[in-house]
Amino acid sequence: MTVSGKHHNSALCHIATTLLTRIAACWRRGETYKLTDLDNTPISLAEARRLITDRYTVPAELRAARRATQQQKRTDRRHKESHSAPTNGPSTTQPTDTHAA
């Protein structure tokens, strides 16, 4: 997120799939998931939290710089930008053929 400018949802999905792969591997081997540092040395939960805080926290300045200043204007189904596209609601025009059965 910080290096390549990816959206935080993209970064979150990447981390989630990586963690899921690790957990599935532990299940297959019948082992519990062990917290380790960058050198695969087992660490405690407090050490893991400190490592995450020191190494992987996105600075507030970077978050603010990448935050959208305005939300994009979105359209819903009833108010489509394309005027030729059909709407989701009932038709407002009268039928042209009054003798249809």
Side-chain angles (χ1 to χ4, degrees), residues 10-69:
S10 176
L12 182 65
C13 289
H14 178 74
I15 296 297
T17 55
T18 302
L19 185 58
L20 182 61
T21 302
R22 289 180 182 184
I23 291 171
C26 289
W27 278 344
R28 276 187 239 118
R29 290 188 302 243
E31 301 173 354
T32 58
Y33 184 76
K34 297 177 187 82
L35 296 173
T36 61
D37 65 3
L38 303 175
D39 299 326
N40 269 349
T41 305
I43 57 175
S44 68
L45 181 59
E47 292 169 325
R49 288 179 192 252
R50 189 171 34 256
L51 177 68
I52 292 167
T53 301
D54 294 344
R55 190 170 173 103
Y56 300 107
T57 302
V58 179
E61 301 84 29
L62 184 59
R63 285 183 185 271
R66 297 228 176 117
R67 188 175 297 130
T69 55

